[in-house]
Amino acid sequence: MSKIAGGIFTSHVPGIGGAIAKGLQQDPYWKPFFDGFEPVHQWLAAEKPDVAVVFYNDHGLNFFLDKMPTFAIGAAAEYRHEDEGWGIAFQRPFEGHQDLSWHIIEEVVASEFDPVTCQSMLVDHAVAVPFELCWPGKEAFPLKLIPIAVNTVQHPLPSPKRCYNLGQAVGRAIESWGGDEKVVVFGTGGLSHQLEGGRAGHINVDYDKFCLRNLAPDPEALLQHDTLDIVELAGSQGVEILNWIAARGALRGSVRELASNYHIPISNTAAATVLLENSDKVHA
Amino acid sequence: MLPTSDATKGKRIIPGTPVFDGEQARSGYALNAMCYAFNSAELREAFVKDEEAVMERFNLTEQQRDAVRKRDILAMLEAGGNVYYLAKLAGILGLNVQDLGALQTGMELEDFKAALLAHGLTETRNFLSEKAA
């Protein structure tokens, strides 16, 4: 049986990739954000997960408006990042786990979800930046990737409840996998930020703290708002919290927060990093 | 900012916040298609050399061309642009997301950055040591 050891939730601002490329981790502007990864590094070194299942949104590298899936699951042997328009391309490839990808696809479709399946898929900064943050350096990433893209770009977006339920279905699928892989689940993006319109620069500390407070103990509290409520509260890109909600759904055991870091600003974003532990429930 | 007709269509209005829905996706298709193609360095160079030719190639509407010529971000949004794709055009124009923020809000760049920095907040929790103990 596969085991989900925990979840890593982090902002994926492209500027973080730029800061990594320039080696600015100790720069006073960036340091408070990068320092939030120390406990994540410790935990990853101890747990050594074999697979990362990453809920994220594509920003126009793999998907365009010609075909915009609400949910898409990667089933490729390898994924790559490429130039997204500003000349940065992370070089390290991401090894896929096709057998587990197809098992997840089988199981979530059996749970009445209808994902697009992708045997060829580029992953953008929303996958690459979290991987660079978690495993800095040049060595090959020490685990395999299964990317799951959620549409947070073109409304109507999937509801928070739907995303949570998808996450739960993915969690059940991983738990039922016959291999002995240890899995870490990622939710990337957020927290509050808005890039466009007269309200550009919008940040909502109260809503962010509400999410951070409830993510581990009471994730269903985050389902009380619909997607447009979240756009109003967290900003039009703050709605990327949908990726966090989906990832949290996959953690079906006894969940507690091991570490969190909330820092404003990174670029136009209220940035956050959260590490959750997922342990087996104790049954009588 | 948003077309006033949105209210009469029963769409929810969030002040200062364009909601990129099917109507926007449809009207903005050509502009967004051009911006999506800026993932290619070759096309970015082509735009720098002759932006009219690139706008013609992607069949932008007159409203979209005008917004691009004027570097008017709010007008690009009104013409159906989506910020995730427009960000690629902004990169060519040497504008980062703080520049975009200042342009859209009418603030000076330094004031826009200062407003972000004014939040000046870092809150950290770490229970990992508890776990080790």
Side-chain angles (χ1 to χ4, degrees), chain A residues 75-115:
Chain A
E78 184 182 274
Y79 307 88
R80 287 191 171 271
H81 179 247
E82 279 187 3
D83 182 355
E84 296 178 49
W86 37 84
I88 296 174
F90 292 106
Q91 294 304 312
R92 288 188 281 178
F94 307 85
E95 187 184 348
H97 190 319
Q98 289 179 294
D99 291 340
L100 183 51
S101 280
W102 282 110
H103 173 73
I104 291 172
I105 291 162
E106 290 279 354
E107 293 298 312
V108 301
V109 172
S111 299
E112 302 189 333
F113 285 87
D114 311 291

Side-chain angles (χ1 to χ4, degrees), chain A residues 83 197 257-258 262-263 268, chain B residues 44 98 104 122-123 125 127:
Chain A
D83 182 355
E257 181 183 306
L258 294 181
Y262 180 56
H263 174 72
N268 292 16
Chain B
R44 298 199 293 269
Q98 283 86 53
Q104 295 174 97
T122 308
E123 287 191 4
R125 294 191 288 256
F127 307 106

Side-chain angles (χ1 to χ4, degrees), chain A residues 19 48 62 223:
Chain A
K48 297 185 179 60
N62 191 71
L223 311 184

